[in-house]
Amino acid sequence: MRPGRRLLALLATAALAACGTTSAVHTTRADPIDGVLVPSSEPSDTVPGDTTPPSSDRIDWKQCDDPKVHDPALECATLQVPLDYDNSTGDTIDMALIKVPASGDRDGTMLFNPGGPGGSGFDFIAFSGGGLASTLGVTTLDLIGFDPRGVDRSGGIHCVSDQFQDRHLYIDETPDDAQERALKDEAHNGFIDGCQQKYGDTLRLYSTVNTARDMDAIRAAIGDEQISYLGVSYGTYLGATYATMFPDRVRAMVLDSVVEPKGDTDEQQFGTQLVGFEGAFDHWSAWCEGEAACDFKSPDVGARWDALRQRLDDNPLTAAGGREVNSATMLRATQAALYTETDWPVLAQALNNAEDGNPAGILALADSYNGRSDDGSFNTLFQSYNVIQCASGIASRAPADPEAIVATLRGEAPRFAKNLTAADLTADADTCDKLVGAVEPIEVSYTGDGPIVLVAGNNDPATPIRWATKMLGELGSKARLVTFTGEGHGQLLASTCIANIEGAALSDLTLPKPDAVCEPDPVVAKPDWWDSLPVPPGVSGVASLPAVSAALGAAPTQIFSELRTTALSSDEAVAAYTTALIGAGLQKFDAPSIFPFDDVVQGAYSDGNATLVVLALGSQAFESDPLQSAKPDLPPGTTVVWLIAVGG
């Protein structure tokens, strides 16, 4: 239930607006949209479950001073909310907020949650907020990201230290001795003990229900009668909870990659994602077998993967800094890459390098998934994930016959369930019993008039389409389901059709046609003028850098672009391109920065018709959190030159 690694892909869309070119994503509304406007409800003075203290105070938005915020157009604030809504005079939490201000006539507020549970909405908007607003065409709405309670800046859950997490991050899948088995037990019990000692009974307060109340506190503090909302993955469950509790406060809502596990059978609650990732693995391996450029190509990619997994189980590799890279690291890296087709080439390259004794690529993929930075620090994702799941009553319950389920799942998902044990199936229930006791999840329903769009993918490994179908029935006549036929989890960036539908709902309150279906976008063709571009001295030919492409969001269905490398500095590289392009008859013009990070220099050029953006990313740029996963692709001191076509 994570949103994937496509945060920066939105910035490529922002390039179009930055250079004065309007994207088709937000100038036309592609089918299937029926043009039916859904009227917003008139909010009542009170709503069911409304325990939010009324507020006439406006949030004090200021220039952001957070080190992860590089865009001066963004604004930041904190909002104090009760830890316990039944005791509003007790302890509080400072909610961290970040905003992309609306342009033109403001139509309201849109809140955003990227999933998890435990994902940082603050980070997503800090990196990609402007691009998200542009992609959806919702620039008349204030776009607000927030860290939910228990996440990072909003009282982030820290039951155990970073050092403890690092020690237990990639525990051997098949412990061979008492010491390895003890390490696995230590990971489970150490987390529970740390949570109990630091938080005690307050852990029950980090629930989805209370986060929904926090959302309404944000709405009240802003002064809006209603809010719009976009949630991805677990964020869909949070959105549905808000709609259930505060139906008259919903202006419009998009729930992308729907999570609604309540009512799953024992086998479904454990097998859904295992089988889903097994299917995604089969699609990836079929792609690799048929793709000449796949670095892990083989007549039987699955067999090659199996052999490497066994080799790393028997003889783990040692990465820079002395970290062990074993079969568990490889499995996590594979799972991380299967969330999005963009990462398929990254996985292939990383596995090929691991066969040659270089584990940096698979370690970077796995670390990125786990929220680990190069300095050994972690975000709170996987600590808050467990606590929020338990407090919300949506963690897996103990099955009646775990041994039978293990046997079934090993047959249905032979790779991802290979080392599954009966104890693994009871671990979540044991954790929740000790942390919060029995909790019943909220029953989702909706009686409001604001439109709600649900999006689900046929080939989503993490959230099956049946969850979306179930939630569609719970949300009633104002909800519509859109099916995506492509690969991956989190469909927002996978299809212009999806973006159009989501934007229409959020901006224009327009619902799609019933049973709408969207396909992936085609690959963007190379412009006719591209091959005539000059290449300055000291700049390489076109470079295959899968990890860099994925981190930058250089998806070929969104833009046409190429990567090159150079030993020049970022300033020198853009200066060299400026000289060469002006000599070829193009003119340089000023454009807002696409990547406002350290050691990134941008040039924009046009011949009056087509536009070219040149981004030079020096080595320091790849020390930033969003780009760290790309470092294994690059020799020290390398500057990456990203050439982006804007227009025909």
Side-chain angles (χ1 to χ4, degrees):
M1 298 181 189
R2 71 191 276 269
R5 298 175 60 243
R6 294 181 239 171
L7 302 185
L8 294 178
L10 295 162
L11 291 173
T13 302
L16 302 174
C19 298
T21 303
T22 305
S23 167
V25 169
H26 50 88
T27 59
T28 61
R29 298 297 186 190
D31 283 342
I33 294 176
D34 62 12
V36 176
L37 296 181
V38 179
S40 296
S41 61
E42 289 296 325
S44 60
D45 293 333
T46 60
V47 293
D50 188 356
T51 56
T52 304
S55 173
S56 59
D57 296 333
R58 298 304 174 106
I59 297 173
D60 184 17
W61 295 101
K62 298 179 179 179
Q63 185 173 358
C64 299
D65 60 4
D66 189 285
K68 291 190 177 181
V69 180
H70 299 270
D71 186 346
L74 300 179
E75 298 175 1
C76 292
T78 58
L79 176 68
Q80 197 172 81
V81 297
L83 175 63
D84 185 350
Y85 277 91
D86 291 331
N87 179 19
S88 59
T89 62
D91 292 339
T92 60
I93 294 175
D94 287 335
M95 299 282 296
L97 313 177
I98 186 169
K99 178 172 72 172
V100 180
S103 58
D105 294 331
R106 178 183 177 276
D107 290 329
T109 299
M110 185 177 89
L111 300 185
F112 173 78
N113 180 275
S120 169
F122 187 105
D123 283 353
F124 194 108
I125 299 305
F127 300 144
S128 306
L132 179 61
S134 177
T135 298
L136 294 177
V138 294
T139 54
T140 60
L141 298 174
D142 286 333
L143 172 56
I144 296 178
F146 63 100
D147 283 353
R149 60 172 53 211
V151 176
D152 289 346
R153 304 162 186 81
S154 299
I157 296 290
H158 290 280
C159 294
V160 295
S161 67
D162 289 345
Q163 293 76 18
F164 183 94
Q165 286 193 84
D166 224 12
R167 174 174 164 80
H168 301 89
L169 193 56
Y170 305 117
I171 299 172
D172 194 324
E173 296 179 281
T174 54
D176 300 316
D177 53 41
Q179 182 178 359
E180 290 182 349
R181 286 189 290 272
L183 194 64
K184 188 172 183 178
D185 292 340
E186 181 180 285
H188 177 70
N189 295 326
F191 177 77
I192 294 173
D193 292 345
C195 287
Q196 289 174 328
Q197 291 171 13
K198 291 189 69 173
Y199 299 98
D201 292 340
T202 66
L203 289 168
R204 63 182 175 80
L205 301 173
Y206 294 90
S207 65
T208 302
V209 165
N210 276 339
T211 300
R213 291 180 174 130
D214 295 337
M215 287 170 54
D216 207 53
I218 296 171
R219 177 205 58 78
I222 291 169
D224 288 350
E225 292 183 333
Q226 294 181 316
I227 55 171
S228 299
Y229 174 81
L230 170 60
V232 183
S233 196
Y234 160 80
T236 66
Y237 185 75
L238 172 59
T241 298
Y242 184 88
T244 300
M245 297 174 64
F246 307 103
D248 295 332
R249 306 294 193 198
V250 176
R251 176 184 175 272
M253 189 170 281
V254 168
L255 309 178
D256 190 321
S257 302
V258 175
V259 172
E260 175 35 322
K262 182 174 170 58
D264 275 3
T265 65
D266 284 354
E267 185 174 325
Q268 285 174 331
Q269 70 172 341
F270 293 106
T272 291
Q273 291 195 346
L274 292 175
V275 173
F277 280 100
E278 194 77 29
F281 180 93
D282 291 341
H283 292 174
W284 167 77
S285 59
W287 163 83
C288 191
E289 289 170 5
E291 173 57 54
C294 178
D295 288 332
F296 204 64
K297 191 174 179 63
S298 167
D300 189 340
V301 168
R304 185 177 176 186
W305 187 93
D306 292 339
L308 178 59
R309 179 181 185 177
Q310 186 60 53
R311 175 178 154 192
L312 292 180
D313 189 30
D314 295 337
N315 298 290
L317 295 171
T318 302
R323 298 179 65 200
E324 181 179 281
V325 178
N326 58 17
S327 60
T329 320
M330 175 180 160
L331 184 64
R332 182 56 57 87
T334 301
Q335 182 183 6
L338 293 179
Y339 273 92
T340 168
E341 211 170 352
T342 304
D343 279 342
W344 287 8
V346 184
L347 176 63
Q349 182 189 60
L351 294 170
N352 183 68
N353 290 346
E355 277 189 335
D356 292 338
N358 177 7
I362 59 173
L363 187 59
L365 276 170
D367 281 351
S368 176
Y369 181 95
N370 285 313
R372 185 191 189 276
S373 297
D374 281 354
D375 62 5
S377 63
F378 288 79
N379 61 29
T380 64
L381 175 61
F382 279 92
Q383 299 201 54
S384 52
Y385 175 93
N386 288 313
V387 171
I388 295 169
Q389 290 260 87
C390 292
S392 304
I394 57 175
S396 301
R397 61 189 178 275
D401 190 349
E403 288 82 5
I405 292 176
V406 167
T408 298
L409 293 181
R410 284 181 178 172
E412 295 178 345
R415 289 185 173 88
F416 285 85
K418 177 182 178 181
N419 296 312
L420 190 69
T421 68
D424 293 330
L425 302 191
T426 61
D428 283 355
D430 178 64
T431 297
C432 292
D433 285 346
K434 292 176 179 177
L435 294 184
V436 300
V439 176
E440 286 297 318
I442 193 169
E443 296 282 350
V444 172
S445 63
Y446 180 55
T447 59
D449 290 328
I452 299 181
V453 173
L454 291 77
V455 179
N458 284 332
N459 302 308
D460 186 330
T463 55
I465 200 166
R466 64 180 173 79
W467 282 353
T469 302
K470 181 174 184 292
M471 186 178 283
L472 180 68
E474 295 166 340
L475 295 180
S477 62
K478 296 301 187 293
R480 295 274 176 87
L481 174 62
V482 181
T483 301
F484 177 63
T485 62
E487 297 287 339
H489 175 63
Q491 314 308 335
L492 168 62
L493 303 178
S495 164
T496 301
C497 174
I498 294 289
N500 286 342
I501 289 174
E502 295 188 357
L506 294 165
S507 181
D508 306 328
L509 308 183
T510 305
L511 280 172
K513 298 175 182 178
D515 302 317
V517 176
C518 285
E519 298 180 354
D521 290 341
V523 171
V524 177
K526 180 193 292 187
D528 293 339
W529 47 267
W530 189 265
D531 288 336
S532 65
L533 292 174
V535 179
V539 176
S540 76
V542 177
S544 176
L545 301 170
V548 174
S549 294
L552 293 175
T557 57
Q558 296 170 347
I559 54 173
F560 184 84
S561 68
E562 287 180 347
L563 297 176
R564 297 173 182 265
T565 61
T566 180
L568 300 172
S569 71
S570 53
D571 285 307
E572 291 169 340
V574 170
Y577 263 98
T578 298
T579 299
L581 292 169
I582 290 176
L586 278 72
Q587 293 185 336
K588 188 176 188 293
F589 65 95
D590 293 331
S593 177
I594 300 173
F595 272 12
F597 297 148
D598 293 337
D599 205 7
V600 177
V601 181
Q602 174 181 307
Y605 313 86
S606 177
D607 65 357
N609 295 307
T611 299
L612 173 72
V613 175
V614 177
L615 283 172
L617 298 94
S619 56
Q620 286 303 306
F622 293 93
E623 298 299 328
S624 63
D625 283 352
L627 301 181
Q628 280 188 5
S629 62
K631 287 172 65 175
D633 253 9
L634 301 172
T638 300
T639 293
V640 172
V641 180
W642 187 18
L643 306 174
I644 305 171
V646 181

